[in-house]
Amino acid sequence: MTDDRQTLDRQAREQTARELAALNDRLMAKNHALAEALTRAGKELTKAKSQLSQLAQPPLTFATMVKVDSSRTDEMGVTHASAEVIVGTRRMIVPVAAGLNASRLAAGRTVILNEKMVLVDQRDHDTSGMVRTVTEPLGDGRLVVADAGGNASVVRRASTLASHPFDKGDRVIVEASGRIAVDALPRANDADLVLEETPDVTFDDIGGLDRQIERIRDAVQLPFQHRELYARYDLKPPKGVLLYGPPGNGKTLIAKAVAHALAEGDGFGERSGTPGAGGVFLSVKGPELLNKFVGESERLIRLIFRRARERAADGRPVIVFIDEMDSLLRTRGSGVSSDVETTIVPQFLAELDGVESLGNVMVIGASNRVDMIDPAVLRPGRLDVKIRIDRPNGDAARAVIRHYLTDDLPLEGGVDADALAGVLVRDIYTRSPRRHLADVRDEHGVWNALFLADVTSGASLKNIVDRAKTLAVKASIGTGSDVAIGVDLLARAVEEEFTETRDSLLDADPVQWSRVNGFDAGAVTAIRGVEH
Ligand code: ADP
């Protein structure tokens, strides 16, 4: 019995122990889960807290460092420094955080101010800002710079530029307040400013301008050919020639042909160039120069003439061709741009007056608005030979066309190029309704009919022939044989040119259109279409 009881007791104890152990396991697991949940909650809390504090953080301010203003150490050995900075356009003195090494703060660098306007951090210098052109590096390191309008100001250099060798014409980035140059930019490329070529255009390539070519030959060639005679009669050769008239009629062609002819030494005597070396044609476009180099116009004028002298040094004749000269050498007092009037014209005159000693250099200007050019430029001894290059009349047009419509082309049987040119000219120059482009009103309120002939230029004649050639090429593709150019194709080409010219005319601003096309001021104040 006792044995039985003992057995029962043991069994009961063992049962209890097992139950207790199981309970313990469950409790342990629960505990573990709770602990994990607690840790997770703790983490969430920390995250939320940091998000909250970030939301509540006051903004920091960017500023540009100017200089450390003062730095003193107190009795406790702590350094107190302040700095002059620029915030936006405001100049301020701010304290420098104690942890920051004030001696490392450098002019021009970006610095960070906290909400109490304490300088707490230094970054690299800004890489963006306003572009300015250096007009004068001052002895004390400051720079005189100019903006696109030529307005000058003085700026200090960032510490990174302290020993940068600045030259007139260099470009810098100036920070927003306009007080400090923070970075140097590569120089604007001078190389693409002045185009240089050795032209192979000859006077024979130019149609319909025989009289004008003869004049330029007299003006340019004779003095080259007969230098002694000119000297004996104390006759000074011209330094330059002005070609004027509407665009696209051969001004550039003539200037190039002069450069070529002088180099050919075509009877030009001792002043002719080295045979075979070719003439040098330096060309610049007035408006391009102005846009690119506002504020440093003198440098640009010097640059052109220096280049001319360099090229002429080895005996090659040099033509300096200035296209759209009126924009660059505008009448002083016209008030359009102070820069042009006050610096470019005098600088140009000074260089031009020095041309005499340059020997082989000649200036040829082109303009469709001669009335806009400063009269001083056109005075005797300067660009005193003025030659008008007008739109071609019928005869001249025929001569121009013959340069592009030649006998060696596939032409319709039975007609020669000259006959075709004649037909073409009649079609272009007729003053009948089918070539009536539009009506234009002049400054007196009078409406005049404008015909295709009134706007035809050497360039547009070439264009018409090119259109006919294109039509022929297109028609030839796939047919396996050359499609000949004939009356029909040419008529289609004129029709295309007429339609395009009319459409662009009706879309144009009248005043602008008349200026671009070389009409006198006031000739066209309004344009209206006509019913066809
Ligand atoms: P611009 O008078 O504006 O200087 P260009 O001499 O540049 O005119 O002429 C533009 C183009 O028109 C020339 O390259 C040439 O193809 C053509 N052209 C103009 N005039 C003539 C001409 N008289 N003879 C032959 N081609 C001409």
Side-chain angles (χ1 to χ4, degrees):
M1 185 67 202
T2 11
D3 275 0
D4 280 355
R5 279 203 56 180
Q6 273 175 351
T7 311
L8 275 173
D9 271 358
R10 192 168 38 87
Q11 281 175 341
R13 271 199 311 276
E14 278 169 7
Q15 166 76 19
T16 313
R18 268 201 303 277
E19 279 170 11
L20 281 174
L23 184 66
N24 189 35
D25 282 352
R26 280 204 302 280
L27 282 175
M28 289 276 279
K30 219 170 176 176
N31 197 13
H32 193 69
L34 270 174
E36 265 189 355
L38 214 61
T39 319
R40 266 204 311 276
K43 276 186 187 154
E44 291 291 322
L45 206 64
T46 323
K47 206 164 121 192
K49 250 168 125 179
S50 89
Q51 279 173 347
L52 205 65
S53 78
Q54 209 170 38
L55 284 177
Q57 192 163 38
L60 299 171
T61 307
F62 283 96
T64 305
M65 185 65 201
V66 180
K67 62 175 190 215
V68 173
D69 208 52
S70 68
S71 189
R72 65 178 178 83
T73 313
D74 66 15
E75 4 7 299
M76 309 290 286
V78 180
T79 308
H80 299 273
S82 53
E84 182 183 333
V85 297
I86 298 167
V87 183
T89 53
R90 275 167 72 206
R91 248 173 114 191
M92 298 178 81
I93 305 264
V94 297
V96 177
L100 217 62
N101 185 349
S103 63
R104 288 250 174 91
L105 295 173
R109 296 276 291 272
T110 299
V111 287
I112 307 288
L113 310 181
N114 71 7
E115 79 278 18
K116 299 205 175 69
M117 294 312 240
V118 175
L119 198 163
V120 292
D121 196 7
Q122 173 168 251
R123 305 270 173 90
D124 217 350
H125 65 73
D126 216 341
T127 49
S128 57
M130 310 177 289
V131 176
R132 296 285 180 265
T133 305
V134 175
T135 54
E136 192 184 349
L138 298 174
D140 59 6
R142 292 176 303 160
L143 305 167
V144 181
V145 298
D147 67 10
N151 302 306
S153 56
V154 175
V155 299
R156 299 163 53 130
R157 301 173 185 218
S159 57
T160 43
L161 300 177
S163 53
H164 188 96
F166 278 112
D167 232 344
K168 239 179 156 168
D170 283 341
R171 297 181 306 160
V172 289
I173 296 180
V174 171
E175 50 71 49
S177 78
R179 307 178 67 92
I180 301 187
V182 291
D183 206 357
L185 282 177
R187 256 173 180 261
N189 200 356
D190 286 346
D192 55 63
L193 188 73
V194 186
L195 282 180
E196 179 171 337
E197 58 184 295
T198 309
D200 53 9
V201 178
T202 68
F203 288 120
D204 293 338
D205 296 326
I206 304 171
L209 294 171
D210 299 343
R211 217 168 26 84
Q212 289 87 340
I213 290 173
E214 192 184 324
R215 273 200 69 198
I216 202 160
R217 290 192 143 197
D218 284 352
V220 180
Q221 269 179 308
L222 279 184
F224 270 74
Q225 266 176 327
H226 305 289
R227 216 146 66 122
E228 298 75 22
L229 272 176
Y230 267 70
R232 189 139 20 103
Y233 288 91
D234 192 21
L235 195 54
K236 296 226 173 359
K239 289 177 184 145
V241 176
L242 178 75
L243 305 175
Y244 67 101
N249 287 305
K251 295 187 289 295
T252 311
L253 281 184
I254 288 183
K256 285 184 176 175
V258 170
H260 181 81
L262 293 184
E264 283 291 287
D266 147 12
F268 288 169
E270 56 190 291
R271 284 180 79 180
S272 66
T274 320
V280 180
F281 185 74
L282 296 180
S283 64
V284 290
K285 271 201 163 53
E288 265 174 33
L289 292 187
L290 272 190
N291 293 341
K292 213 161 168 184
F293 282 83
V294 184
E296 52 163 338
S297 30
E298 300 153 71
R299 186 176 87 81
L300 104 92
I301 297 279
R302 269 201 310 273
L303 177 108
I304 297 165
F305 281 91
R306 193 177 60 221
R307 179 86 74 87
R309 273 191 294 269
E310 281 166 14
R311 292 293 176 276
D314 54 6
R316 296 167 71 180
V318 178
I319 296 295
V320 175
F321 182 66
I322 304 178
D323 204 2
E324 299 183 60
M325 194 176 221
D326 44 290
S327 66
L328 200 61
L329 301 171
R330 221 175 271 144
T331 305
R332 278 171 285 184
S334 63
V336 187
S337 157
S338 55
D339 197 35
V340 171
E341 295 162 25
T342 55
T343 61
I344 300 189
V345 173
Q347 182 75 33
F348 178 81
L349 294 179
E351 294 284 355
L352 193 65
D353 291 344
V355 153
E356 206 160 18
S357 55
L358 302 182
N360 290 348
V361 179
M362 155 136 347
V363 177
I364 298 186
S367 169
N368 50 29
R369 291 301 304 276
V370 71
D371 55 315
M372 295 281 286
I373 298 179
D374 195 302
V377 174
L378 308 175
R379 245 172 238 145
R382 291 176 175 153
L383 300 193
D384 53 357
V385 179
K386 290 176 274 296
I387 302 176
R388 184 169 172 89
I389 311 291
D390 230 327
R391 296 183 186 282
N393 60 19
D395 288 342
R398 193 165 177 158
V400 174
I401 290 169
R402 287 293 280 114
H403 278 87
Y404 304 107
L405 190 65
T406 46
D407 283 314
D408 53 347
L409 296 169
L411 301 177
E412 238 168 43
V415 272
D416 63 8
D418 204 47
L420 282 175
V423 173
L424 193 52
V425 168
R426 272 196 298 282
D427 191 3
I428 297 168
Y429 281 76
T430 178
R431 291 188 170 266
S432 68
R434 75 197 164 89
R435 295 287 169 252
H436 184 178
L437 288 166
D439 286 333
V440 296
R441 192 182 62 200
D442 66 16
E443 58 190 336
H444 307 296
V446 179
W447 287 92
N448 298 298
L450 190 77
F451 290 94
L452 186 58
D454 299 323
V455 298
T456 294
S457 64
S460 72
L461 291 170
K462 174 174 189 289
N463 205 30
I464 290 171
V465 176
D466 283 349
R467 283 181 192 276
K469 289 177 177 173
T470 308
L471 290 170
V473 166
K474 276 190 175 159
S476 302
I477 295 169
T479 61
S481 62
D482 292 345
V483 169
I485 297 175
V487 176
D488 290 346
L489 271 190
L490 290 170
R492 273 172 64 194
V494 180
E495 196 56 36
E496 275 184 14
E497 181 82 12
F498 172 79
T499 310
E500 261 182 41
T501 309
R502 182 193 60 199
D503 292 350
S504 69
L505 184 64
L506 295 178
D507 283 340
D509 169 68
V511 175
Q512 186 140 349
W513 180 87
S514 73
R515 188 161 43 81
V516 170
N517 285 278
F519 285 80
D520 289 340
V524 178
T525 58
I527 300 170
R528 80 175 172 211
V530 285
E531 300 289 326
H532 279 276

